């Protein structure tokens, strides 16, 4: 559907209904002029093209620019039309991704062009301008996702690889559209067009011609321009494993302190926090903030200070070597670091009931993002869980579904959910809370049709109609790769501080003349922060604080060892026996 309208033969500017298309003030344009150049435009000129990297931040001084999806292709449509004072681009400009749309001049005029790297620095240094641009870019990204712009994933709803690609795209907030080979009439024609056999699916199609057959997450990331990980032979002060709130906090504080900091994540930045529709108890945001926006701000901040973020890059092993640590990745590459911060977080537990396996990723989900909500449309859905994640999901999904059944195993919603969320959930007209209720079976062949639930107090069973099921029943840590390397508790969470000291190898610590510090594990210089740590408070704010604290403890550990990599005037490079002086 086109958002442009014709008036007296001219294309009319798209209204700013969602805060995604704000206008810069004359003062802001004047300030930007000092960092870029003014340039005349001609009618029909392409300013940037879908699939190519952004090279400039563009503000319109005069004339109009039309933003097109799939220019020249069968699905071409107008996304927006911008006039004087508006600026172009979306989130990909700040994150080093390729453009998901094409910008074409419709009325000749003049633009202001600022190199991308300079613009990223301005966003980080000017809070007013940075907030305006970031909010607009986030809004545009969500509009693109809602339009089904970007690349297409062609795959069966019964394929695990299809689920993997869809999850990777959703978690990285990448605009895309899923074409279900089991149901979509377009699918057969596309398969014939590219001579693709069903056993070669899923495939990813972009720009009408670029095609990947069952790509890995890394291959998909490279297709759309996510920065390529290059851990081979990497040497840094700190490697942070996990890019959720704790990992990003460690990246920001480590890099801002002058440490060469590399943060890696197997799937996406943000962790579980990025799937939250609104976080209302985070300090400094009285009206709340979405998990996606909070994470994007943290990512920009990390980039501003020079931290390197590598996604997807999955760690498979941690090995002590010569007073340092070697981190091995699943592709066989390695990196060395003087210290390691483990912030790999947790993953939600699966609901183990008959019939659920073949519905996972189709109508049974373990996250509630814009992507999953868009699949619900106006149907009733069920949410399982009694914690904050379940409450936030129920409130968010109530904006899309006709009704929400919140299924809670216990008898008191206040037991595990914050009071402010309990009040909102209980007062929402679309949410019905069912206490003492557990799912015993799911019904549906190709998609969920209903649930068989049981009252665990009366043992009474009944059937609930639900087109989708969202599960938030606790979590388990991502520590499978750490078994036998350092001490874990009985649930697999990492022991730190006094708990680590009680089981640590005394001989390993004797030369240091101390035991593990507050967030330190049974390995000197290896710290754990956030949800992965045994005894942690499962809150975004506490994870952020622990990530920052871990870096302070890294300093205390490394001050005695003198093997930091410091930042020189020409950039960061190894310096033998270096030390940190920028704290």
């Amino acid at each position: 559907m086109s958002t442009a309208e014709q008036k007296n033969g001219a294309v009319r500017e798209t209204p700013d209904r969602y805060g995604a298309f704000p206008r810069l003030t004359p003062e802001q344009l004047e300030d930007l002029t000092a960092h870029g150049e003014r340039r005349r435009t001609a009618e029909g000129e392409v300013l940037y093209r879908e699939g190519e990297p952004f090279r400039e931040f563009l503000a319109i001084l005069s004339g109009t620019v039309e933003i097109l999806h799939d220019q020249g292709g069968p699905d071409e449509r107008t996304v927006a039309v911008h006039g004087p004072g508006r600026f172009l681009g979306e989130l990909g400009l700040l994150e080093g991704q390729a453009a998901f749309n094409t910008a074409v001049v419709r009325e000749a005029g003049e633009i202001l062009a600022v190199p991308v790297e300079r613009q990223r620095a301005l966003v980080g240094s000017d809070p007013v301008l940075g907030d305006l641009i970031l909010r607009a870019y986030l809004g545009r990204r969500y509009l693109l996702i809602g339009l089904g712009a970007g690349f297409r994933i062609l795959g069966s709803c019964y394929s695990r690889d299809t689920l993997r690609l869809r999850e990777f795209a959703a978690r990285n907030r990448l605009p895309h559209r899923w074409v279900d080979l089991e149901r979509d009439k377009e699918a057969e024609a596309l398969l014939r067009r590219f001579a693709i056999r069903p056993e070669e699916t899923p495939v990813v199609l972009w720009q009408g011609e670029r095609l990947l057959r069952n790509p890995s997450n890394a291959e998909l990331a490279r297709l759309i321009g996510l920065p390529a990980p290059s851990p081979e032979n990497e040497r840094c002060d700190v490697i942070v494993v996990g890019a959720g709130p704790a990992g990003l906090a460690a990246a920001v504080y480590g890099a801002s302190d002058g440490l060469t900091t590399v943060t890696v994540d197997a799937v996406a930045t943000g962790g579980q926090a990025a799937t939250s529709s609104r976080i209302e108890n985070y300090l400094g945001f009285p009206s709340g903030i979405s998990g996606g926006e909070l994470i994007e701000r943290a990512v920009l901040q990390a980039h501003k200070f020079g931290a390197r973020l590598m996604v997807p890059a999955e760690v498979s092993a941690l090995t002590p070597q010569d007073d340092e640590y070697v981190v091995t990745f699943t592709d066989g590459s390695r990196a060395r670091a003087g210290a390691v911060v483990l912030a790999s977080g947790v993953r939600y537990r699966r609901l183990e009931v008959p019939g659920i396996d073949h519905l996972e990723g189709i109508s049974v989900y373990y996250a509630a993002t814009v992507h999953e909500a868009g699949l619900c449309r106006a149907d009733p859905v069920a949410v399982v869980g009694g914690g904050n994640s379940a409450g936030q999901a129920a409130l968010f999904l109530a904006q899309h579904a006709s009704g929400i059944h919140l299924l809670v195993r216990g008898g008191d919603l206040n037991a595990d959910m914050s009071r402010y969320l309990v009040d909102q959930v209980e007062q929402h007209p679309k949410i019905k809370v069912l206490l003492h209720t557990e799912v015993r079976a799911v019904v549906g062949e190709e998609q969920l049709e209903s649930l068989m639930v049981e009252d665990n107090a009366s043992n009474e069973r009944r059937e609930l109609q639900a087109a989708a099921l969202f599960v938030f029943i606790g979590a388990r840590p991502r520590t499978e790769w750490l078994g036998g390397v350092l001490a874990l508790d009985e649930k697999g969470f990492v022991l730190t501080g006094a708990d680590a000291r009680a089981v640590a190898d005394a001989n390993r610590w004797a030369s240091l003349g101390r035991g593990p510090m507050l967030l330190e594990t049974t390995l000197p210089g290896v710290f754990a922060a956030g949800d992965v740590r045994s005894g942690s408070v499962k809150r975004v704010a506490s994870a952020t604080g622990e990530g920052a604290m871990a870096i302070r403890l890294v300093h205390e550990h490394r001050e005695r060892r003198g093997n930091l990599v410091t930042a020189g005037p020409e950039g960061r490079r190894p310096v033998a026996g270096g030390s940190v002086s920028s704290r």
Side-chain angles (χ1 to χ4, degrees):
M1 181 180 65
S2 172
T3 58
E5 298 180 38
Q6 298 287 336
K7 185 177 182 180
N8 299 325
V11 180
R12 195 169 74 178
E13 187 179 57
T14 305
D16 182 20
R17 295 192 181 99
Y18 307 104
F21 308 130
R23 211 177 300 278
L24 297 171
T25 66
E27 293 77 18
Q28 288 171 327
L29 288 170
E30 185 64 30
D31 290 340
L32 285 170
T33 302
H35 301 278
E37 64 173 0
R38 300 168 74 105
R39 187 185 304 159
R40 298 296 303 177
T41 60
E43 183 178 343
E45 178 182 354
V46 176
L47 300 179
Y48 58 79
R49 195 177 298 277
E50 181 179 349
E52 298 178 355
F54 287 102
R55 304 192 185 282
E56 298 172 313
F57 171 86
L58 303 173
I60 304 172
L61 301 177
S62 61
T64 59
V65 176
E66 185 176 10
I67 308 301
L68 294 170
H69 169 61
D70 193 33
Q71 184 200 24
D75 295 327
E76 179 177 318
R77 53 183 160 174
T78 300
V79 176
V81 175
H82 299 304
R86 296 268 184 94
F87 53 90
L88 308 182
E90 56 94 46
L91 200 58
L93 183 147
L94 298 177
E95 296 197 345
Q97 299 170 9
F100 286 96
N101 288 317
T102 300
V104 181
V105 176
R106 287 302 176 220
E107 294 179 8
E110 189 177 23
I111 59 172
L112 174 63
V114 179
V116 165
E117 291 302 325
R118 196 172 299 171
Q119 177 60 22
R120 289 173 184 161
L122 286 172
V123 168
S125 60
D126 185 330
V128 176
L129 179 64
D131 188 70
L132 178 73
I133 292 174
L134 180 58
R135 284 185 177 276
Y137 279 0
L138 283 167
R140 295 177 192 185
R141 173 57 61 92
Y142 291 133
L143 286 175
L144 285 178
I145 292 173
L147 287 171
F151 55 89
R152 280 185 258 189
I153 299 174
L154 283 70
S156 167
C157 60
Y158 305 117
S159 166
R160 294 289 182 185
D161 284 317
T162 299
L163 172 60
R164 170 180 56 80
L165 292 172
R166 290 176 60 207
E167 179 186 15
F168 179 78
R171 291 284 300 275
N172 282 281
R173 301 169 289 283
L174 301 175
H176 68 285
R177 179 154 63 97
W178 171 42
V179 180
D180 186 355
L181 298 181
E182 307 295 334
R183 306 174 193 175
D184 201 303
K185 295 179 181 179
E186 177 188 10
E188 187 175 348
L190 284 170
L191 292 178
R192 285 201 306 266
R193 175 184 169 190
F194 291 96
I196 301 169
R197 299 188 303 274
E199 60 267 24
E200 294 179 302
T201 60
V203 297
V204 172
L205 177 65
W206 199 24
Q207 298 176 270
E209 56 185 25
R210 299 179 65 183
L211 183 143
L212 295 177
R213 287 172 167 81
N214 195 12
S216 66
N217 290 352
E219 289 171 328
L220 175 55
R222 301 297 80 76
L223 177 71
I224 50 86
L226 285 176
S230 54
E232 189 66 57
N233 299 319
E234 186 80 37
R235 167 66 177 87
C236 55
D237 293 332
V238 186
I239 288 182
V240 182
V241 181
L248 289 173
V252 168
Y253 282 90
S256 66
D257 278 358
L259 303 177
T260 52
T261 306
V262 175
T263 301
V264 301
D265 198 283
V267 180
T269 56
Q272 301 295 346
T275 66
S276 297
S277 58
R278 182 149 299 271
I279 302 170
E280 296 191 64
N281 59 350
Y282 193 75
L283 185 67
F285 295 92
S287 59
I289 184 171
S290 72
E293 183 174 353
L294 179 65
I295 295 306
E296 294 299 345
R297 288 174 179 270
V299 168
L300 290 176
Q301 201 170 13
H303 283 311
K304 168 187 171 182
F305 289 118
R308 286 187 56 201
L309 304 179
M310 293 171 19
V311 176
E314 185 174 359
V315 177
S316 60
L318 175 68
T319 309
Q321 189 175 95
D322 300 330
D323 293 330
E324 293 185 330
Y325 291 95
V326 174
V327 174
T328 303
F329 297 85
T330 52
D331 64 0
S333 59
R334 297 182 176 186
R336 295 173 64 91
V340 176
V341 176
L342 303 173
S344 49
V346 297
R347 59 170 61 91
Y348 286 114
R349 289 194 178 94
R350 294 179 67 251
L351 184 64
E352 302 291 347
V353 298
I356 200 171
D357 287 356
H358 73 281
L359 295 177
E360 289 182 336
I362 304 167
S363 46
V364 175
Y365 308 103
Y366 294 87
T369 67
V370 174
H371 171 70
E372 288 85 13
L375 300 174
C376 295
R377 297 184 175 90
D379 298 316
V381 303
V383 176
V384 179
N388 281 0
S389 295
Q392 290 167 344
L395 290 167
F396 173 62
L397 293 167
Q399 303 172 32
H400 303 268
S402 60
I404 309 292
H405 297 293
L406 180 57
L407 312 180
V408 182
R409 182 174 60 179
D412 183 6
L413 200 57
N414 290 280
D416 297 301
M417 190 179 296
S418 297
R419 183 68 242 178
Y420 78 94
L421 275 176
V422 173
D423 291 342
Q424 293 181 55
V425 166
E426 291 181 336
Q427 294 171 15
H428 200 291
K430 285 188 177 182
I431 300 176
K432 183 176 182 180
V433 180
L434 300 178
L435 301 176
H436 297 291
T437 302
E438 298 183 53
V439 178
R440 295 306 183 200
V442 297
V443 180
E445 291 298 325
E446 295 186 348
Q447 67 180 43
L448 184 67
E449 297 173 3
S450 63
L451 303 171
M452 184 62 66
V453 300
E454 180 179 278
D455 186 315
N456 58 31
S458 66
N459 296 324
E460 178 184 351
R461 291 196 175 193
R462 61 172 170 145
E463 190 172 3
L464 286 180
Q465 298 301 310
L469 176 64
F470 294 83
V471 182
F472 303 92
I473 55 171
R476 57 187 177 88
R478 299 174 183 268
T479 56
E480 299 87 351
W481 58 284
L482 290 170
V485 179
L486 46 73
L488 309 175
D489 68 13
E490 67 279 2
K491 295 182 179 179
F493 292 91
V494 179
L495 295 176
T496 59
D499 293 332
R501 189 178 302 117
V503 296
D505 181 351
N507 293 328
R508 185 186 294 273
W509 291 86
S511 62
L512 296 178
R514 65 176 182 84
M517 292 182 282
L518 184 61
L519 300 181
E520 202 165 15
T521 69
T522 50
L523 290 178
V526 177
F527 302 85
D531 290 357
V532 76
R533 189 178 68 82
S534 179
S536 67
V537 178
K538 305 299 187 283
R539 292 289 187 271
V540 174
S542 61
T544 303
E546 288 188 9
M549 188 189 305
I551 294 301
R552 180 68 191 96
L553 298 176
V554 166
H555 284 305
E556 292 189 23
H557 169 72
R558 302 307 287 173
E559 278 173 354
R560 308 183 185 188
R561 310 185 76 91
N563 60 351
L564 292 176
V565 180
T566 60
E570 303 300 324
R572 290 175 169 81
R573 58 181 183 271
V575 179
S579 61
V580 170
S581 59
S582 56
R583 284 189 288 139

